[in-house]
Amino acid sequence: MTTKLIREQVYIPGPRGRLVGELSYPDNTTANAVVLIANPHPLMGGAIANNVIERLAMDLPAHGCVTLRFDYGGVGHSGGDPIDVAGNMRQFWETGTSPADPGMAQEVDCASNWLRSQLDLPQVGIGYSFGAYALVSSVVDRLASLILISPTIARHDFSPLSAAGRPTMVIYSDDDFATPVETTQHWLESLSPPASSHMLTGGEHFYRGMEPHIVKLCADFIVQTISEGGGA
Amino acid sequence: MITGATGFIGHTLLADLLRRDVRSAVLLRPPLDQSTRRLAGMLLELNIDLDEMLASGRVILMTGDVVRGLPEPTGLNIQSIIHCAASTRFQTDPAGEPRKTNVIGTLNLLRWAQTNNINDLHLVSSAYQCGKTNRPVPETLSKDRPHFHNPYERTKWQAERACMTWSHAKPDRVLTIYRPSIVVGEYNTGRATKFSGFYLMARASRLLAEQYDHESGNDDRHHITLRLRGRANDRQNIVPVDHVSAMIAHAFVNKRFHGQIYHLTHPDAPSNHTIQRAIEAHYNIAGGRFVDPDTFDPGVMTEMDRLFCEVSRPIEHYFMATPDFDRGLAQELQMSAGLSCPAYDTTDLQRLFTYADQHQRDRYRGATAPTPKVADTDEPDLHCDAPLYNAYFMSFLPDRVNRSKIAQATGFSVTMRFVIEDIPNGQWVCRFEQGRLIEVHHGENTFKEDFCYRTHAEVFWRSIAGNVHPQKIFLKRQARVTGNTEQALKMAMILYKFNQEFPCDRQTLMSEGASP
Ligand SMILES: NC(=O)c1ccc[n+]([C@@H]2O[C@H](COP(=O)([O-])OP(=O)(O)OC[C@H]3O[C@@H](n4cnc5c(N)ncnc54)[C@H](OP(=O)(O)O)[C@@H]3O)[C@@H](O)[C@H]2O)c1
C-alpha cells in the first residue's frame, strides 16, 4: 500500500511575525512521532525548498512521521522584515555567524512549542547545518531524540547537547567546507553519551543526490529511538 | 566524400553509410586531431569504431574547410560528394555566416568537384528554402525567388541554384537534393547532438518549471498565464534524424534515386497543440495558450510572454503557416527503403525533451560524453552576444558595484573568477577590496582566485537579471564552484542582492553602448 501524503500550510506565531511552514503527514498510516526540521542559515540559502530539507519533509511521513518545516522570519512567506543581508553579511563573511542567529534559534523554539500544542507525540528534531545549532541551543531538552546533519560545530556552541543527554545521530561528510572532518570526528569522540554517526563520502555540505540515503538513515534512527521510548 | 560529418545529420548519415559498406572520405575542419576526436566520440555512440574504420581503410580522413580551402584528393578515387556541411544560423553574424559557408563554401566545393572530375553530387538542403508560401511546395527547383523568413533560408535556396547550374553545365553530372524539415533526435531514444530550433520552446519551459520547483506547495505552475504567438492547429514539421539519415543513405546507394529532389518532411507532423501538451506534461506545468498572431496584442505582454517571445523569436515562423510539402518522390524512396516516418504523440515528444534535459545536466556534471562543439545556430542568447558579456564584466559591474549598497555594507575582499563555459574565451577575474571592484581581467590568465563560478550563458543571463538565486543554481548543479566553497556561497548571496539592486539584461548593456 502506498502512503498518500497530506501537505498542509501552517502558520506559527513567531517573535517577528508569523512563521509559514508546512506540515506533512501520512493519510492512511498512524503517525508515531513528529519531526521538527530546522533549516540551514538563510544567508547560505537556507529555506524549506532546500534539497535535503524538502526530501526529509516529504519522505519521512511514509515511515510514520509527521514533519514540520518552516521558513525563518523574513525568508520565503514568513513574516518579519526580509533578512538584512547588508547588516548581517559583514560578520557572517568573517565568522560564519551573524547577529540574527539567536533570533532564528528562538523561532525554532516557537515552532517546537506550537507543534507540541498540536500533536501529542514524541518530538524528534532534525537540524541541518546552522539548523543543528538552532535546535540544540533552543529545544534540545524537549526532544525525544535528535539528528544533526553537518552541524556547524566549528562556529557555534553545541555544549547543551551533552548536557541534555538525548539519543543523537550525526550525519556528516568527509569533505564539508564548513567543518573539517577531523574536527567533527574529534567532537563525536568527546560526546557523552555517545552519538551514533554516519559519514557520507563526497557529500560536501550539500548532499546532492544523497537525499534518499539520508532519509533512510533518519527513518531507521527515528523508528529505533521511538520504539525504545527514549526521551521526553 | 562527405562534408559536415561532425554535424548532427552528418555523423548519423556517415554511420548509416558505413553500415552499408560505403567507403567514405570524410572532410574534417582543422585542427584535425580535435575534429577526429569529436567524430570518433559521436560515432561510438552509434556503435561505430572510427579507429577500426580507419585501420580497415573504410574511412579516410581529409582536412579542409569549404570556405578556407579544400585539400588535394591525391590518390583517392572520389566518385561522389555528399555535401552536408552548412552554417545553420538563421541570422547573419559579423563573420558573414550563414552566407559564407552555405553559398561561397558550396561554390568552392563545386569548383573542387569540377577540378577533380567528380560528377555525382548529393546536396543536403532544407525544406524551408521555399521561404514564405501558402502554396504546396513541389519537389522541384523553384523558378521564382521566394520571400524568405531569414538569411539562412535564402542561402539554402542559393546553394540549390548554384548546384543546379553546376549540374546543367555537363550532361554526365547528376545532382540529388535532400530537403529535410526540422530535424530532431532519434525517434526511439531522443538522442541528438544539437538542441536549437524546435528545442528552444522546451528549454524555455524547463527554465520556467525550475522556477516553480523552488516554490514548493505552489499551484501556480498549473495556471501559467502565458500567451504564445501561433495557432494551436498549425503543425511543426519535425522529422527524426535517423529517418532523414536512412532516407539519404538509401537514395545514395541506389542509383535509380539519383537526380531528384526529395522532401524529407513529416507527412503527418504534430500540431502546436500536441507539442504544447507534451511540453506541459513533461515539465509539470500548464496554462500556456496559443494566440493567433493576427490578434496577439504585444502591448500587453507579461514578463513571461516576453521571455518566451525572446527565446522563440528565431523559430517563431515555424509555429504558424507551415508550408505544405509535396512528398511524392520522397514517398517512393521511403517505400523502396521499407521505411515509414513515425508519428509523434505526446510520449514520443517527451522522449526528445528527456534526452535534451539529460544532455544539459551532463554538461554541468562535467560528463565526458563526446559533446559536439557548440553548434553554429542562432540560439538567441549565446555566442553572437560575446561582446555583451565583456561589457557586463568590464563596464557594468565595476560601475555598479562601486555604487552598490550591499557591496559597501559588506566590505568583502576577495578575488573571484567567472567562467561562462559556452562562450569563447569566456572568463573574467574580478578582484574586490573592501567591497570595491578594483580590477577585472578578461581571458585566461594566471591570477590566483579564491574561488571560481563556472556556468553557462543561459544561466548567466538569468542570474544577472536578478530572477534567480545563485545558490539555487549551484544546488541544482547548473553552476559549479571550485576553490573556497564557503566564500563562494556567501558571495552568491551578495551577488543575488546586487543583481536585485542593479538588474541587467542585453537591452541594458546595449543601451549603454555595447553591441552584440
Ligand atoms: N538540423 C536541422 O534541423 C536541419 C534541417 C534542415 C536542413 N538541415 C541541413 O542539414 C545539413 C546538416 O545540418 P546539421 O543540423 O547536421 O548541422 P550542424 O550540426 O550544425 O553541423 C554542421 C556541419 O558543417 C560543418 N561545417 C560548418 N562550416 C564548415 C566549413 N566552412 N567547412 C567545412 N565544414 C563546415 C561543421 O563542422 P564543425 O563540426 O567543424 O563545425 C559540421 O560538421 C545542413 O546543410 C543544414 O542546412 C538541417
Side-chain angles (χ1 to χ4, degrees), chain B residues 108-139:
Chain B
N108 289 343
L109 189 71
L110 295 173
R111 227 169 283 130
W112 186 83
Q114 178 166 340
T115 313
N116 294 293
N117 220 4
I118 303 167
N119 293 322
D120 181 32
L121 176 65
H122 296 254
L123 173 70
V124 181
S125 179
S126 162
Y128 296 96
Q129 59 73 43
C130 63
K132 296 178 191 171
T133 179
N134 44 23
R135 296 212 203 109
V137 184
E139 289 174 301

Side-chain angles (χ1 to χ4, degrees), chain B residues 242-479:
Chain B
D242 43 334
H243 177 76
V244 168
S245 169
M247 292 278 275
I248 300 178
H250 185 74
F252 182 79
V253 296
N254 289 286
K255 278 214 162 84
R256 70 187 171 98
F257 289 111
H258 291 193
Q260 304 282 12
I261 298 180
Y262 299 99
H263 277 154
L264 306 183
T265 55
H266 205 297
D268 184 21
S271 67
N272 281 329
H273 181 61
T274 306
I275 293 169
Q276 183 201 351
R277 274 212 331 262
I279 291 180
E280 293 195 340
H282 186 68
Y283 294 109
N284 186 20
I285 51 177
R289 73 194 157 92
F290 280 97
V291 176
D292 195 305
D294 299 336
T295 56
F296 189 95
D297 178 2
V300 291
M301 294 230 273
T302 64
E303 196 48 43
M304 213 179 291
D305 294 344
R306 229 186 308 277
L307 170 76
F308 266 72
C309 268
E310 190 185 329
V311 172
S312 56
R313 195 177 309 127
I315 52 161
E316 202 178 65
H317 55 278
Y318 290 154
F319 300 162
M320 34 200 147
T322 293
D324 178 8
F325 300 110
D326 280 355
R327 292 186 79 253
L329 294 170
Q331 188 61 30
E332 268 177 47
L333 174 63
Q334 190 172 300
M335 279 169 63
S336 155
L339 295 168
S340 64
C341 193
Y344 282 100
D345 64 17
T346 49
T347 319
D348 306 317
L349 292 165
Q350 285 192 49
R351 276 199 299 279
L352 299 173
F353 309 138
T354 304
Y355 188 93
D357 291 346
Q358 184 62 42
H359 172 87
Q360 184 80 5
R361 272 195 290 275
D362 287 348
R363 274 167 61 172
Y364 300 108
R365 266 185 222 131
T368 50
T371 324
K373 82 175 194 202
V374 166
D376 168 33
T377 62
D378 34 9
E379 294 182 13
D381 41 354
L382 303 179
H383 324 290
C384 58
D385 290 350
L388 295 185
Y389 298 90
N390 227 12
Y392 181 78
F393 285 105
M394 308 299 282
S395 156
F396 185 91
L397 199 59
D399 175 64
R400 304 307 197 281
V401 163
N402 295 341
R403 291 199 261 138
S404 154
K405 285 197 220 74
I406 174 75
Q408 276 161 30
T410 313
F412 54 90
S413 297
V414 83
T415 302
M416 61 202 264
R417 186 183 294 269
F418 287 91
V419 179
I420 302 180
E421 293 183 331
D422 43 0
I423 296 300
N425 202 21
Q427 49 180 299
W428 293 263
V429 173
C430 304
R431 191 152 79 82
F432 295 87
E433 282 291 348
Q434 302 194 336
R436 297 187 72 80
L437 180 52
I438 57 169
E439 255 181 296
V440 184
H441 292 272
H442 179 207
E444 279 188 42
N445 51 55
T446 53
F447 284 97
K448 178 91 192 71
E449 70 268 14
D450 295 299
F451 58 83
C452 168
Y453 293 118
R454 304 183 87 86
T455 185
H456 68 128
E458 181 183 81
V459 174
F460 166 80
W461 288 111
R462 272 197 290 147
S463 306
I464 66 166
N467 292 336
V468 55
H469 201 305
Q471 283 167 344
K472 283 185 185 156
I473 288 174
F474 170 71
L475 283 173
K476 295 217 106 197
R477 296 182 198 267
Q478 292 171 344

